[in-house]
Amino acid sequence: MAAFQPSLECDNISNIHSEQTDSDLIQKTDERYRETLPNLPKGKGWITEHLVQYQGFWLTPNAALKILMWVQDHFKPRPTDIFLASFPKSGTTWLKALIFATVNRTRYGFADHPLLTTGPHDCFPFLDAHLQEKDRSRFDLDRDPKDVLVSKWLFLNKLRPKDLPPISLEEAFELFCQGISHYGPFWDHVLGYWEGSLETPEKILFLKYEDLKKEPLVVVKRLGDFLGYPFSLEEESKGVVEEIVKLCSFENLSTLEVNKVSEQKFSKDTIIDNRHFFRKGKVGDWKTYLTTEMVERLDEITYEKLLGSGLVFGS
């Protein structure tokens, strides 16, 4: 999950608040972690040797789980906080850039915008990555699970330690279908936010990657309205929405020097080249990788999991 405080400058965004926690409280969380970890179900990991299941979702045991417990115990969100809760590899980088540019459009010019020299993940940091070093807005961006699977498999294999063999597409497919993937099951994640967006649409905005690709101008204006930063008629007539879409486009961000040569440090053990966050940015790339049998099985699982919810992915 990523967190953004719109009142902060880009270069100071890492100062996301959390109340100072004294050592005894931190120690209690560490103790809870050590007591809980041995009793959790285990599944094969995509990067690490295994994942653990905690409160229904699969996490890396030595990083995500511990940070999650710390957040649950100590983090105090503010009413103006913005949280992006996208499933991994469903358009997170793109939406981070769009949200940052939309909220800060009167603060920065497009010619010298921070996104031209700073990666989206630094402007809009991951909450858990930051922490390693009740009226609030939440977004959920998700995409067709077939595209998520392929993109996630390709991405995480680049991060897999050299002492572990690459995970095959067939193995990744089976794990994904079983729900065993980082922050999975996929369907539980999307359903939770989908239902939340129906119950409290003023607090949760549910978006699909495919809709963002198809009508970016429409979606960006929805973002502005939801965030409380609506675009004025004057801004629309001056092409401000188009400028934001152009600035945050895959074609632009992927060619910037900062996103070609710089690194993103999530922890002392997890450092990722920014270029890995920009692969193709396309809808339907799963057709290049998945067999007919894989597609049929994944579509069937998705249909059964989402049946009756009103949520549909793909055609």
Side-chain angles (χ1 to χ4, degrees):
M1 177 180 287
F4 175 47
Q5 176 54 254
S7 63
L8 299 177
E9 300 288 336
C10 180
D11 55 353
N12 292 325
I13 199 75
S14 62
N15 292 324
I16 288 181
H17 60 274
S18 59
E19 293 185 350
Q20 184 66 36
T21 308
D22 53 35
S23 58
D24 62 329
L25 292 178
I26 293 176
Q27 185 175 352
K28 287 181 180 180
T29 299
D30 289 343
E31 290 174 356
R32 183 164 75 91
Y33 166 77
R34 288 193 296 270
E35 292 171 358
T36 302
L37 180 59
N39 301 314
L40 297 177
K42 291 183 179 180
K44 184 177 177 60
W46 294 49
I47 305 177
T48 54
E49 187 175 355
H50 62 267
L51 299 174
V52 293
Q53 190 179 42
Y54 176 70
Q55 297 182 351
F57 291 88
W58 293 92
L59 308 166
T60 52
N62 296 325
L65 174 62
K66 193 170 186 178
I67 296 297
L68 174 58
M69 286 184 169
W70 199 97
V71 170
Q72 290 176 331
D73 289 349
H74 309 297
F75 181 70
K76 305 296 183 183
R78 293 177 181 175
T80 53
D81 281 346
I82 299 168
F83 293 100
L84 171 57
S86 56
F87 195 80
K89 305 311 297 175
S90 60
T92 308
T93 304
W94 188 14
L95 190 54
K96 280 188 175 188
L98 287 170
I99 293 173
F100 183 82
T102 297
V103 170
N104 290 290
R105 65 182 183 272
T106 61
R107 183 177 297 169
Y108 306 118
F110 291 108
D112 57 352
H113 200 281
L115 283 169
L116 297 175
T117 55
T118 307
H121 297 294
D122 281 322
C123 288
F124 194 149
F126 286 102
L127 179 60
D128 51 356
H130 165 71
L131 291 174
Q132 293 194 61
E133 324 251 272
K134 263 236 204 166
D135 293 328
R136 47 193 177 271
S137 301
R138 295 183 184 180
F139 291 85
D140 185 68
L141 177 68
D142 288 293
R143 66 192 298 192
D144 189 311
K146 297 188 291 294
D147 272 327
V148 172
L149 164 63
V150 169
S151 185
K152 191 171 186 177
W153 167 64
L154 291 169
F155 179 75
L156 294 185
N157 254 337
K158 296 173 183 176
L159 309 183
R160 198 166 168 85
K162 297 186 185 303
D163 59 338
L164 294 177
I167 185 171
S168 68
L169 176 58
E170 291 74 18
E171 190 171 16
F173 174 80
E174 288 298 329
L175 290 171
F176 191 86
C177 288
Q178 295 170 36
I180 304 175
S181 64
H182 297 80
Y183 308 104
F186 168 85
W187 303 275
D188 292 3
H189 171 93
V190 297
L191 268 180
Y193 281 99
W194 169 253
E195 292 170 353
S197 71
L198 298 178
E199 295 169 2
T200 56
E202 73 283 359
K203 293 182 180 181
I204 300 176
L205 178 64
F206 189 98
L207 298 173
K208 294 182 184 178
Y209 183 87
E210 292 79 6
D211 294 340
L212 186 53
K213 287 289 292 185
K214 184 178 181 181
E215 297 182 302
L217 299 178
V218 173
V219 173
V220 169
K221 285 192 282 187
R222 283 185 65 195
L223 286 178
D225 290 340
F226 178 75
L227 288 167
Y229 293 82
F231 291 91
S232 65
L233 292 177
E234 182 181 4
E235 285 180 311
E236 291 190 33
S237 66
K238 289 183 176 180
V240 173
V241 181
E242 287 84 353
E243 287 291 339
I244 288 176
V245 170
K246 180 180 177 181
L247 170 69
C248 302
S249 67
F250 178 89
E251 291 74 19
N252 183 54
L253 292 180
S254 64
T255 59
L256 297 176
E257 191 72 7
V258 65
N259 295 322
K260 291 195 295 184
V261 301
S262 298
E263 297 176 330
Q264 183 67 43
K265 184 177 181 180
F266 291 100
S267 71
K268 62 183 179 66
D269 299 318
T270 306
I271 302 175
I272 304 173
D273 291 342
N274 277 350
R275 60 188 174 87
H276 291 323
F277 293 108
F278 302 91
R279 191 174 66 88
K280 290 185 178 180
K282 294 182 178 180
V283 172
D285 191 49
W286 55 264
K287 298 174 184 176
T288 308
Y289 297 91
L290 302 183
T291 65
T292 301
E293 292 75 17
M294 287 178 169
V295 172
E296 291 176 349
R297 182 178 170 191
L298 203 48
D299 282 346
E300 182 178 359
I301 293 173
T302 300
Y303 174 80
E304 292 176 352
K305 295 286 187 179
L306 304 184
L307 183 63
S309 68
L311 177 60
V312 178
F313 286 104
S315 55

